[in-house]
Structures are given as structure tokens and as C-alpha cells.
Coordinates of all heavy atoms in Angstrom, one line a residue:
Y1 N 1.3 -40.4 32.0 CA 0.8 -41.6 32.6 C -0.7 -41.4 33.0 O -1.5 -42.2 32.6 CB 1.7 -42.0 33.7 CG 1.2 -43.3 34.4 CD1 1.3 -44.5 33.8 CD2 0.6 -43.2 35.6 CE1 0.9 -45.7 34.5 CE2 0.1 -44.3 36.3 CZ 0.3 -45.6 35.7 OH -0.1 -46.7 36.3
G2 N -1.0 -40.4 33.7 CA -2.3 -40.1 34.1 C -3.3 -39.9 33.0 O -4.4 -40.3 33.0
S3 N -2.8 -39.3 31.9 CA -3.6 -39.0 30.7 C -4.0 -40.3 30.1 O -5.2 -40.5 29.6 CB -2.8 -38.2 29.7 OG -3.6 -38.0 28.6
G4 N -3.1 -41.3 30.0 CA -3.5 -42.6 29.5 C -4.5 -43.3 30.3 O -5.4 -43.9 29.7
I5 N -4.4 -43.3 31.6 CA -5.4 -43.9 32.4 C -6.7 -43.2 32.3 O -7.8 -43.9 32.2 CB -4.9 -43.9 33.9 CG1 -3.8 -44.8 34.1 CG2 -6.1 -44.3 34.8 CD1 -3.2 -44.8 35.5
N6 N -6.7 -41.9 32.2 CA -8.0 -41.1 32.0 C -8.6 -41.5 30.7 O -9.8 -41.6 30.6 CB -7.7 -39.6 32.1 CG -8.9 -38.8 32.0 OD1 -10.0 -39.2 32.5 ND2 -8.8 -37.6 31.5
A7 N -7.8 -41.7 29.6 CA -8.4 -42.0 28.3 C -9.0 -43.4 28.4 O -10.0 -43.7 27.7 CB -7.3 -42.0 27.3
E8 N -8.4 -44.3 29.1 CA -9.0 -45.7 29.2 C -10.3 -45.7 30.0 O -11.2 -46.4 29.6 CB -8.0 -46.6 30.0 CG -6.7 -46.9 29.2 CD -7.0 -47.7 27.9 OE1 -7.9 -48.5 27.9 OE2 -6.4 -47.4 26.9
V9 N -10.4 -44.9 31.0 CA -11.6 -44.9 31.8 C -12.7 -44.1 31.1 O -13.8 -44.6 31.1 CB -11.3 -44.2 33.2 CG1 -12.6 -44.0 34.0 CG2 -10.3 -45.1 34.0
R10 N -12.4 -43.0 30.5 CA -13.4 -42.1 29.9 C -13.6 -42.4 28.5 O -14.6 -41.9 27.9 CB -13.1 -40.7 30.2 CG -13.1 -40.3 31.6 CD -12.9 -38.8 31.9 NE -13.7 -38.0 31.0 CZ -13.3 -36.8 30.6 NH1 -12.1 -36.4 30.8 NH2 -14.0 -36.1 29.8
G11 N -12.7 -43.0 27.8 CA -12.9 -43.3 26.4 C -12.6 -42.1 25.5 O -13.3 -41.9 24.5
V12 N -11.7 -41.2 25.9 CA -11.4 -40.1 25.1 C -10.0 -40.2 24.5 O -9.1 -40.9 25.1 CB -11.5 -38.8 25.9 CG1 -12.9 -38.5 26.4 CG2 -10.6 -38.8 27.1
T13 N -9.7 -39.6 23.4 CA -8.4 -39.6 22.8 C -8.2 -38.4 22.0 O -9.1 -37.7 21.6 CB -8.2 -40.9 21.9 OG1 -6.9 -40.9 21.4 CG2 -9.2 -40.9 20.8
S14 N -6.9 -38.1 21.8 CA -6.6 -36.9 20.9 C -5.6 -37.4 19.9 O -4.9 -36.6 19.3 CB -6.0 -35.8 21.7 OG -4.8 -36.2 22.3
Y15 N -5.5 -38.7 19.6 CA -4.6 -39.2 18.6 C -5.1 -38.7 17.2 O -6.2 -38.7 16.9 CB -4.6 -40.7 18.6 CG -3.9 -41.4 19.7 CD1 -4.6 -42.3 20.5 CD2 -2.6 -41.0 20.1 CE1 -4.0 -42.9 21.6 CE2 -2.0 -41.6 21.1 CZ -2.7 -42.5 21.9 OH -2.1 -43.1 23.0
S16 N -4.1 -38.2 16.5 CA -4.5 -37.6 15.2 C -5.1 -38.6 14.2 O -5.9 -38.2 13.4 CB -3.2 -37.0 14.6 OG -2.2 -37.9 14.4
E17 N -4.7 -39.9 14.3 CA -5.3 -40.9 13.4 C -6.8 -41.0 13.7 O -7.6 -41.1 12.8 CB -4.7 -42.2 13.6 CG -3.2 -42.3 13.1 CD -2.2 -41.9 14.2 OE1 -2.7 -41.5 15.3 OE2 -1.0 -41.9 13.9
N18 N -7.2 -40.9 15.0 CA -8.6 -41.1 15.3 C -9.4 -39.8 14.9 O -10.5 -39.9 14.4 CB -8.8 -41.3 16.8 CG -8.2 -42.6 17.3 OD1 -8.0 -43.5 16.4 ND2 -7.9 -42.8 18.5
I19 N -8.8 -38.7 15.1 CA -9.4 -37.4 14.6 C -9.6 -37.4 13.1 O -10.6 -37.0 12.6 CB -8.6 -36.2 15.1 CG1 -8.7 -36.2 16.7 CG2 -9.2 -34.9 14.5 CD1 -7.7 -35.2 17.3
G20 N -8.6 -37.9 12.4 CA -8.7 -38.0 11.0 C -9.8 -39.0 10.5 O -10.5 -38.7 9.6
A21 N -9.9 -40.1 11.2 CA -10.9 -41.1 10.9 C -12.3 -40.6 11.2 O -13.2 -40.8 10.4 CB -10.7 -42.4 11.7
I22 N -12.5 -39.9 12.3 CA -13.8 -39.3 12.6 C -14.1 -38.2 11.5 O -15.2 -38.1 11.1 CB -13.8 -38.7 14.0 CG1 -13.8 -39.9 15.0 CG2 -15.0 -37.9 14.2 CD1 -13.6 -39.5 16.4
G23 N -13.1 -37.4 11.2 CA -13.4 -36.3 10.2 C -13.7 -36.9 8.8 O -14.5 -36.3 8.1
L24 N -13.1 -38.1 8.5 CA -13.4 -38.7 7.2 C -14.7 -39.4 7.1 O -15.5 -39.2 6.2 CB -12.3 -39.6 6.8 CG -12.4 -40.4 5.5 CD1 -12.2 -39.3 4.4 CD2 -11.3 -41.4 5.4
T25 N -15.0 -40.2 8.2 CA -16.2 -41.0 8.2 C -17.4 -40.3 8.8 O -18.6 -40.8 8.6 CB -16.0 -42.3 8.9 OG1 -15.7 -42.0 10.3 CG2 -14.9 -43.1 8.3
K26 N -17.2 -39.3 9.6 CA -18.3 -38.6 10.3 C -18.9 -39.5 11.4 O -20.1 -39.3 11.7 CB -19.3 -38.0 9.4 CG -18.8 -37.1 8.3 CD -18.3 -35.8 8.9 CE -17.9 -34.8 7.8 NZ -16.5 -34.6 7.7
V27 N -18.2 -40.5 11.8 CA -18.8 -41.4 12.8 C -17.9 -41.3 14.1 O -16.7 -41.6 14.0 CB -18.8 -42.9 12.3 CG1 -19.2 -43.8 13.4 CG2 -19.6 -43.1 11.1
G28 N -18.5 -40.8 15.1 CA -17.8 -40.7 16.4 C -18.4 -41.4 17.5 O -18.1 -41.1 18.7
S29 N -19.3 -42.3 17.3 CA -20.0 -43.1 18.3 C -19.1 -44.0 19.0 O -18.3 -44.7 18.4 CB -21.2 -43.9 17.7 OG -21.7 -44.7 18.6
R30 N -19.2 -44.0 20.4 CA -18.3 -44.9 21.2 C -18.7 -46.4 20.9 O -17.9 -47.3 21.0 CB -18.5 -44.6 22.6 CG -17.8 -43.3 23.0 CD -17.9 -43.0 24.5 NE -17.3 -41.7 24.7 CZ -17.3 -41.1 25.9 NH1 -17.9 -41.8 26.9 NH2 -16.8 -40.0 26.1
R31 N -20.0 -46.6 20.6 CA -20.5 -48.0 20.4 C -19.8 -48.5 19.1 O -19.4 -49.7 19.1 CB -22.0 -48.0 20.3 CG -22.5 -49.4 20.0 CD -24.0 -49.5 20.1 NE -24.3 -49.4 21.5 CZ -25.5 -48.9 22.0 NH1 -26.4 -48.5 21.1 NH2 -25.7 -48.9 23.2
V32 N -19.7 -47.7 18.1 CA -19.1 -48.2 16.8 C -17.6 -48.4 17.1 O -17.1 -49.4 16.6 CB -19.3 -47.1 15.7 CG1 -18.5 -47.4 14.5 CG2 -20.8 -47.0 15.4
I33 N -17.0 -47.5 17.8 CA -15.5 -47.7 18.1 C -15.3 -49.0 18.9 O -14.4 -49.8 18.7 CB -15.0 -46.5 18.8 CG1 -15.1 -45.2 17.9 CG2 -13.5 -46.7 19.1 CD1 -14.5 -45.2 16.6
G34 N -16.1 -49.2 19.9 CA -16.0 -50.4 20.7 C -16.2 -51.7 19.9 O -15.5 -52.7 20.1
C35 N -17.3 -51.7 19.1 CA -17.5 -52.9 18.3 C -16.4 -53.1 17.3 O -16.0 -54.3 17.1 CB -18.8 -52.7 17.5 SG -20.3 -52.8 18.6
S36 N -15.8 -52.1 16.7 CA -14.7 -52.2 15.8 C -13.5 -52.8 16.6 O -12.8 -53.6 16.0 CB -14.3 -50.9 15.2 OG -15.4 -50.3 14.5
A37 N -13.3 -52.3 17.8 CA -12.1 -52.8 18.6 C -12.3 -54.3 18.9 O -11.3 -55.1 18.7 CB -12.0 -52.0 19.9
V38 N -13.5 -54.7 19.3 CA -13.7 -56.2 19.5 C -13.5 -57.0 18.2 O -12.9 -58.0 18.3 CB -15.1 -56.4 20.1 CG1 -15.5 -57.8 20.2 CG2 -15.2 -55.7 21.5
L39 N -14.0 -56.5 17.1 CA -13.9 -57.2 15.9 C -12.4 -57.3 15.5 O -12.0 -58.4 15.0 CB -14.7 -56.4 14.8 CG -14.6 -57.0 13.4 CD1 -15.3 -58.4 13.4 CD2 -15.2 -56.1 12.4
M40 N -11.6 -56.2 15.7 CA -10.2 -56.3 15.4 C -9.5 -57.3 16.3 O -8.6 -58.0 15.8 CB -9.6 -54.9 15.5 CG -9.9 -54.0 14.3 SD -9.0 -52.5 14.2 CE -9.9 -51.6 15.5
L41 N -9.9 -57.4 17.6 CA -9.3 -58.3 18.5 C -9.6 -59.8 18.0 O -8.7 -60.6 18.0 CB -9.7 -58.1 19.9 CG -9.2 -56.9 20.6 CD1 -9.9 -56.7 21.9 CD2 -7.7 -57.1 20.8
I42 N -10.8 -60.0 17.6 CA -11.2 -61.4 17.2 C -10.4 -61.7 15.9 O -9.9 -62.8 15.8 CB -12.7 -61.5 17.0 CG1 -13.4 -61.4 18.4 CG2 -13.1 -62.7 16.3 CD1 -14.9 -61.2 18.3
I43 N -10.4 -60.8 14.9 CA -9.7 -61.1 13.7 C -8.2 -61.2 13.9 O -7.6 -62.0 13.2 CB -10.0 -59.9 12.7 CG1 -11.5 -60.1 12.2 CG2 -9.1 -60.0 11.5 CD1 -11.9 -58.9 11.3
G44 N -7.7 -60.5 14.9 CA -6.3 -60.6 15.2 C -5.9 -62.0 15.7 O -4.7 -62.4 15.6
L45 N -6.8 -62.7 16.2 CA -6.5 -64.1 16.7 C -6.5 -65.1 15.6 O -6.0 -66.2 15.8 CB -7.5 -64.5 17.8 CG -7.5 -63.6 19.0 CD1 -8.7 -64.0 20.0 CD2 -6.2 -63.7 19.8
I46 N -7.0 -64.8 14.4 CA -6.9 -65.7 13.3 C -5.6 -65.6 12.6 O -5.2 -64.5 12.1 CB -8.1 -65.4 12.3 CG1 -9.4 -65.5 13.0 CG2 -8.0 -66.3 11.1 CD1 -10.6 -64.9 12.2
G47 N -4.9 -66.6 12.6 CA -3.5 -66.6 12.0 C -3.4 -66.2 10.6 O -2.4 -65.5 10.2
K48 N -4.3 -66.6 9.8 CA -4.2 -66.3 8.3 C -4.3 -64.8 8.1 O -3.7 -64.3 7.1 CB -5.2 -67.1 7.6 CG -5.0 -68.6 7.6 CD -5.5 -69.3 6.4 CE -5.4 -70.8 6.5 NZ -4.2 -71.3 6.0
V49 N -5.1 -64.1 8.9 CA -5.2 -62.7 8.7 C -3.9 -62.0 9.1 O -3.4 -61.1 8.4 CB -6.4 -62.1 9.6 CG1 -6.4 -60.6 9.5 CG2 -7.7 -62.7 9.2
G50 N -3.2 -62.5 10.1 CA -1.9 -61.9 10.5 C -0.9 -62.2 9.5 O -0.1 -61.3 9.2
V51 N -0.9 -63.4 8.9 CA 0.0 -63.7 7.8 C -0.2 -62.8 6.6 O 0.7 -62.3 5.9 CB -0.1 -65.2 7.4 CG1 0.7 -65.4 6.1 CG2 0.4 -66.0 8.5
F52 N -1.5 -62.5 6.3 CA -1.8 -61.6 5.2 C -1.2 -60.2 5.4 O -0.6 -59.7 4.5 CB -3.3 -61.5 5.0 CG -3.8 -60.4 4.0 CD1 -3.6 -60.6 2.7 CD2 -4.3 -59.3 4.5 CE1 -4.0 -59.6 1.8 CE2 -4.7 -58.3 3.6 CZ -4.5 -58.5 2.2
F53 N -1.4 -59.6 6.6 CA -0.8 -58.3 6.8 C 0.7 -58.3 6.9 O 1.3 -57.4 6.5 CB -1.5 -57.7 8.1 CG -2.9 -57.2 7.9 CD1 -3.9 -57.9 8.5 CD2 -3.1 -56.2 7.1 CE1 -5.2 -57.5 8.3 CE2 -4.4 -55.7 6.9 CZ -5.5 -56.4 7.5
A54 N 1.3 -59.4 7.4 CA 2.7 -59.5 7.5 C 3.4 -59.6 6.2 O 4.5 -59.2 6.0 CB 3.1 -60.6 8.5
S55 N 2.6 -60.2 5.2 CA 3.2 -60.4 3.9 C 3.0 -59.2 2.9 O 3.4 -59.3 1.8 CB 2.6 -61.7 3.3 OG 1.2 -61.5 3.0
M56 N 2.4 -58.2 3.4 CA 2.2 -57.0 2.5 C 3.5 -56.4 2.2 O 4.4 -56.1 3.1 CB 1.3 -56.0 3.2 CG -0.1 -56.2 3.1 SD -1.0 -54.7 3.8 CE -2.6 -55.2 3.4
P57 N 3.7 -56.0 0.9 CA 5.0 -55.3 0.5 C 5.1 -53.9 1.1 O 4.0 -53.3 1.4 CB 4.9 -55.3 -1.0 CG 3.8 -56.2 -1.4 CD 2.9 -56.4 -0.2
V58 N 6.3 -53.5 1.4 CA 6.5 -52.2 2.0 C 5.9 -51.1 1.2 O 5.3 -50.1 1.8 CB 8.0 -52.0 2.3 CG1 8.3 -50.6 2.8 CG2 8.5 -53.0 3.3
P59 N 6.0 -51.0 -0.2 CA 5.4 -49.9 -0.9 C 3.8 -49.8 -0.7 O 3.3 -48.7 -0.7 CB 5.7 -50.2 -2.4 CG 6.9 -51.1 -2.3 CD 6.8 -51.9 -1.1
I60 N 3.2 -50.9 -0.5 CA 1.7 -50.9 -0.3 C 1.4 -50.3 1.1 O 0.5 -49.4 1.2 CB 1.1 -52.3 -0.4 CG1 1.2 -52.7 -1.9 CG2 -0.3 -52.3 0.1 CD1 0.6 -54.1 -2.1
I61 N 2.2 -50.6 2.1 CA 2.0 -50.0 3.4 C 2.4 -48.5 3.3 O 1.7 -47.7 4.0 CB 2.9 -50.8 4.4 CG1 2.4 -52.2 4.6 CG2 2.9 -50.1 5.8 CD1 3.2 -53.1 5.4
G62 N 3.4 -48.2 2.6 CA 3.7 -46.8 2.4 C 2.6 -46.0 1.8 O 2.3 -44.9 2.1
G63 N 2.0 -46.6 0.8 CA 0.8 -46.0 0.1 C -0.3 -45.8 1.1 O -1.0 -44.7 1.0
M64 N -0.6 -46.8 1.9 CA -1.7 -46.6 2.9 C -1.3 -45.5 3.9 O -2.2 -44.7 4.3 CB -1.9 -48.0 3.6 CG -2.4 -49.0 2.7 SD -2.9 -50.6 3.5 CE -2.0 -50.7 5.0
Y65 N -0.1 -45.4 4.3 CA 0.3 -44.3 5.2 C 0.2 -43.0 4.5 O -0.2 -42.0 5.2 CB 1.8 -44.5 5.7 CG 2.0 -45.5 6.8 CD1 3.2 -46.0 7.1 CD2 0.9 -45.8 7.7 CE1 3.4 -46.9 8.2 CE2 1.1 -46.7 8.7 CZ 2.3 -47.2 9.0 OH 2.5 -48.1 10.0
L66 N 0.5 -42.9 3.3 CA 0.4 -41.7 2.5 C -1.0 -41.2 2.5 O -1.3 -40.0 2.8 CB 0.9 -41.9 1.1 CG 0.9 -40.7 0.2 CD1 2.0 -39.7 0.6 CD2 1.0 -41.1 -1.2
V67 N -2.0 -42.1 2.2 CA -3.4 -41.7 2.2 C -3.8 -41.3 3.6 O -4.5 -40.3 3.8 CB -4.2 -42.8 1.6 CG1 -5.7 -42.5 1.8 CG2 -3.9 -43.0 0.2
M68 N -3.5 -42.1 4.6 CA -3.9 -41.9 6.0 C -3.4 -40.5 6.5 O -4.2 -39.7 7.0 CB -3.5 -43.0 6.9 CG -3.9 -42.8 8.4 SD -3.3 -44.0 9.5 CE -1.6 -43.6 9.6
F69 N -2.1 -40.2 6.4 CA -1.6 -39.0 6.9 C -2.1 -37.8 6.0 O -2.1 -36.7 6.5 CB -0.1 -39.1 7.1 CG 0.3 -39.9 8.2 CD1 1.0 -41.1 8.0 CD2 -0.1 -39.6 9.5 CE1 1.4 -41.9 9.0 CE2 0.3 -40.5 10.6 CZ 1.0 -41.6 10.3
G70 N -2.3 -38.0 4.7 CA -2.9 -37.0 3.9 C -4.3 -36.6 4.4 O -4.6 -35.4 4.5
V71 N -5.1 -37.5 4.8 CA -6.4 -37.3 5.3 C -6.3 -36.5 6.6 O -7.1 -35.6 6.9 CB -7.2 -38.6 5.4 CG1 -8.5 -38.3 6.2 CG2 -7.6 -39.1 4.0
I72 N -5.4 -37.0 7.5 CA -5.2 -36.3 8.8 C -4.8 -34.9 8.6 O -5.3 -34.0 9.2 CB -4.2 -37.1 9.6 CG1 -4.7 -38.5 10.0 CG2 -3.7 -36.3 10.8 CD1 -3.7 -39.4 10.6
A73 N -3.9 -34.6 7.6 CA -3.5 -33.2 7.4 C -4.6 -32.4 6.8 O -4.8 -31.2 7.2 CB -2.3 -33.2 6.4
A74 N -5.4 -33.0 6.0 CA -6.6 -32.3 5.4 C -7.6 -31.9 6.5 O -8.2 -30.8 6.5 CB -7.2 -33.1 4.3
V75 N -7.9 -32.9 7.4 CA -8.8 -32.6 8.5 C -8.3 -31.5 9.4 O -9.0 -30.6 9.8 CB -9.1 -33.9 9.3 CG1 -9.9 -33.6 10.5 CG2 -9.9 -34.8 8.4
G76 N -7.0 -31.6 9.6 CA -6.3 -30.5 10.5 C -6.4 -29.1 9.8 O -6.7 -28.1 10.5
I77 N -6.2 -29.1 8.5 CA -6.3 -27.8 7.8 C -7.8 -27.3 7.8 O -8.1 -26.1 7.9 CB -5.7 -27.9 6.4 CG1 -4.2 -28.1 6.5 CG2 -6.0 -26.7 5.6 CD1 -3.5 -28.4 5.2
A78 N -8.7 -28.3 7.6 CA -10.1 -27.9 7.6 C -10.5 -27.4 9.0 O -11.4 -26.5 9.1 CB -11.0 -29.1 7.2
N79 N -9.9 -27.9 10.1 CA -10.2 -27.3 11.4 C -9.8 -25.9 11.6 O -10.3 -25.2 12.5 CB -9.6 -28.2 12.5 CG -10.4 -29.5 12.6 OD1 -11.5 -29.7 12.3 ND2 -9.7 -30.5 13.1
L80 N -8.8 -25.5 10.8 CA -8.3 -24.1 10.9 C -9.3 -23.1 10.4 O -9.1 -21.9 10.6 CB -7.0 -24.0 10.1 CG -5.8 -24.6 10.8 CD1 -4.6 -24.5 9.9 CD2 -5.5 -24.1 12.2
Q81 N -10.3 -23.5 9.7 CA -11.3 -22.5 9.2 C -12.1 -21.8 10.3 O -12.6 -20.7 10.1 CB -12.3 -23.1 8.2 CG -13.2 -24.1 8.8 CD -14.1 -24.8 7.7 OE1 -14.0 -24.5 6.6 NE2 -14.9 -25.8 8.2
C82 N -12.1 -22.4 11.5 CA -12.7 -21.9 12.6 C -11.8 -21.0 13.5 O -12.3 -20.4 14.5 CB -13.3 -23.0 13.5 SG -14.4 -24.1 12.7
V83 N -10.6 -20.8 13.1 CA -9.6 -20.1 13.9 C -9.5 -18.7 13.3 O -9.5 -18.5 12.1 CB -8.2 -20.8 13.8 CG1 -7.2 -20.0 14.5 CG2 -8.3 -22.2 14.4
D84 N -9.3 -17.7 14.2 CA -9.1 -16.3 13.8 C -7.6 -16.1 13.4 O -6.8 -16.0 14.2 CB -9.5 -15.4 14.9 CG -9.3 -13.9 14.5 OD1 -9.2 -13.6 13.3 OD2 -9.1 -13.1 15.5
L85 N -7.3 -16.2 12.1 CA -6.0 -16.0 11.6 C -5.5 -14.6 11.5 O -4.4 -14.3 11.0 CB -5.8 -16.8 10.3 CG -5.8 -18.3 10.4 CD1 -5.7 -19.0 9.1 CD2 -4.8 -18.8 11.4
K86 N -6.3 -13.7 12.0 CA -5.9 -12.3 12.0 C -5.2 -12.0 13.3 O -4.6 -10.9 13.5 CB -7.1 -11.3 11.8 CG -7.7 -11.5 10.4 CD -8.8 -10.5 10.2 CE -9.3 -10.7 8.7 NZ -10.6 -10.0 8.5
S87 N -5.3 -12.9 14.3 CA -4.7 -12.7 15.6 C -3.2 -13.1 15.5 O -2.9 -14.2 15.0 CB -5.4 -13.6 16.6 OG -4.7 -13.7 17.8
S88 N -2.4 -12.3 16.0 CA -0.9 -12.6 15.9 C -0.6 -13.8 16.8 O 0.3 -14.5 16.5 CB -0.1 -11.4 16.3 OG -0.4 -11.0 17.6
R89 N -1.3 -13.9 17.9 CA -1.1 -15.1 18.7 C -1.4 -16.4 18.0 O -0.6 -17.4 18.1 CB -2.0 -15.0 20.0 CG -1.8 -16.1 20.9 CD -2.8 -15.9 22.2 NE -2.6 -17.0 23.1 CZ -3.5 -18.1 23.1 NH1 -4.4 -18.2 22.2 NH2 -3.3 -19.1 23.9
N90 N -2.5 -16.5 17.3 CA -2.9 -17.7 16.6 C -1.9 -18.0 15.4 O -1.6 -19.1 15.2 CB -4.3 -17.6 16.1 CG -5.3 -17.6 17.2 OD1 -5.0 -18.1 18.3 ND2 -6.5 -17.2 16.9
I91 N -1.5 -16.9 14.7 CA -0.5 -17.1 13.7 C 0.8 -17.6 14.2 O 1.5 -18.5 13.6 CB -0.3 -15.8 12.9 CG1 -1.6 -15.5 12.1 CG2 0.9 -15.9 11.9 CD1 -1.5 -14.1 11.4
F92 N 1.2 -17.1 15.4 CA 2.5 -17.6 16.0 C 2.4 -19.0 16.4 O 3.3 -19.8 16.1 CB 2.8 -16.7 17.3 CG 4.0 -17.2 18.0 CD1 5.2 -16.9 17.6 CD2 3.8 -18.0 19.2 CE1 6.3 -17.4 18.3 CE2 4.9 -18.4 19.9 CZ 6.2 -18.1 19.5
I93 N 1.3 -19.4 17.0 CA 1.1 -20.8 17.4 C 1.1 -21.7 16.1 O 1.7 -22.8 16.1 CB -0.2 -21.0 18.2 CG1 -0.1 -20.3 19.5 CG2 -0.6 -22.5 18.4 CD1 -1.4 -20.2 20.3
L94 N 0.4 -21.3 15.1 CA 0.3 -22.1 13.9 C 1.7 -22.2 13.2 O 2.2 -23.3 12.8 CB -0.7 -21.5 12.9 CG -0.8 -22.2 11.5 CD1 -1.3 -23.6 11.7 CD2 -1.7 -21.4 10.6
G95 N 2.4 -21.1 13.2 CA 3.8 -21.1 12.6 C 4.8 -22.0 13.3 O 5.5 -22.7 12.7
V96 N 4.8 -21.9 14.7 CA 5.7 -22.7 15.5 C 5.3 -24.2 15.3 O 6.2 -25.0 15.2 CB 5.7 -22.2 16.9 CG1 6.4 -23.2 17.8 CG2 6.3 -20.9 17.1
S97 N 4.0 -24.5 15.3 CA 3.6 -25.9 15.2 C 4.0 -26.4 13.8 O 4.6 -27.6 13.8 CB 2.1 -26.0 15.3 OG 1.6 -25.5 16.5
L98 N 3.8 -25.7 12.7 CA 4.3 -26.2 11.4 C 5.8 -26.3 11.4 O 6.3 -27.3 10.8 CB 3.8 -25.2 10.3 CG 2.3 -25.3 10.0 CD1 1.9 -24.2 9.1 CD2 1.9 -26.6 9.5
Y99 N 6.5 -25.3 11.9 CA 8.0 -25.4 11.9 C 8.5 -26.6 12.6 O 9.3 -27.3 12.1 CB 8.5 -24.1 12.5 CG 10.0 -24.1 12.5 CD1 10.8 -23.8 11.4 CD2 10.7 -24.3 13.7 CE1 12.2 -23.8 11.4 CE2 12.1 -24.3 13.8 CZ 12.8 -24.1 12.6 OH 14.2 -24.1 12.6
I100 N 8.0 -26.8 13.9 CA 8.5 -28.0 14.6 C 8.1 -29.3 14.0 O 8.9 -30.2 13.9 CB 7.9 -27.9 16.1 CG1 8.6 -26.7 16.8 CG2 8.1 -29.2 16.8 CD1 8.0 -26.5 18.2
G101 N 6.9 -29.3 13.4 CA 6.5 -30.5 12.7 C 7.3 -30.9 11.5 O 7.5 -32.0 11.1
L102 N 7.8 -29.8 10.8 CA 8.6 -30.1 9.6 C 10.1 -30.2 9.9 O 10.7 -30.9 9.1 CB 8.3 -28.9 8.6 CG 6.9 -28.9 8.0 CD1 6.7 -27.6 7.2 CD2 6.6 -30.1 7.2
V103 N 10.6 -29.5 10.9 CA 12.0 -29.5 11.1 C 12.5 -30.5 12.1 O 13.6 -31.2 11.8 CB 12.5 -28.1 11.6 CG1 13.9 -28.1 12.0 CG2 12.2 -27.1 10.5
V104 N 11.8 -30.8 13.1 CA 12.2 -31.7 14.1 C 12.4 -33.1 13.6 O 13.5 -33.8 13.9 CB 11.3 -31.7 15.4 CG1 11.6 -32.9 16.3 CG2 11.4 -30.4 16.1
P105 N 11.6 -33.7 12.7 CA 11.8 -35.0 12.2 C 13.1 -35.1 11.3 O 13.8 -36.1 11.3 CB 10.6 -35.3 11.3 CG 9.5 -34.5 11.9 CD 10.2 -33.2 12.4
I106 N 13.5 -34.0 10.7 CA 14.7 -33.9 10.0 C 15.9 -34.0 10.9 O 16.9 -34.6 10.6 CB 14.8 -32.7 9.1 CG1 13.7 -32.7 8.0 CG2 16.2 -32.5 8.4 CD1 13.5 -31.4 7.3
L107 N 15.8 -33.4 12.0 CA 17.0 -33.3 13.0 C 17.1 -34.6 13.8 O 18.2 -34.9 14.3 CB 16.8 -32.1 13.9 CG 16.8 -30.8 13.3 CD1 16.5 -29.7 14.3 CD2 18.0 -30.5 12.6
V108 N 16.1 -35.4 13.9 CA 16.2 -36.6 14.7 C 16.8 -37.7 14.0 O 16.9 -38.0 12.9 CB 14.8 -37.0 15.2 CG1 14.8 -38.3 15.9 CG2 14.2 -35.9 16.0

């Protein structure tokens, strides 16, 4: 709860979608993000735009998710180039993270 309030006040986030978007576009300016948010709010009030997105077929949305999460995974892997993978502690953290990320969704 406190983390969400802190993010609202300071404008910081650790959502993987945002990290992937910043990694892809190389744009991390708060002004650009703020202008985009206002633009999305205004466009969201136009009914025809909402109808357009609501009428999208499920396979198209699945394709968009495939690309988005692929980019997020690629940015995450690219961030690992700065990690010392000779350290057993770092390998353990990476292994447990990958294992939980791949196995927990199957169990749920």
C-alpha cells in the first residue's frame, strides 16, 4: 500500500511493462510519460475509440501481448549483461527467479 502511494507522489515504478517500454524506446522522461497519460485519458473518453479496442479479436490481442512480453523478456536478459554470473549467489537468485516464473503459473 505504501509503495503505491510513494509511486504516485514521486512518479517511480518498477512495472516490467514500463521498463520494457523504456528499454525499447529509450525515452524515460517524466514529461513524455505525463503527456502520454493525459492523451490516453482524453482518447479514452471518446466512445468510438473504446468500441474499436473492445471489438478487437482475441488473436490480435494475443499477438500484441506476445510482442510486448517478448520485448520485456529481451530487456530483462539484456540487463543481465551487467551482472557477475560467476558469483554463486547471483546464479542462485537468477535460477530461483526463472524457476518460480516458469513453474508457479502452471500450478495456479
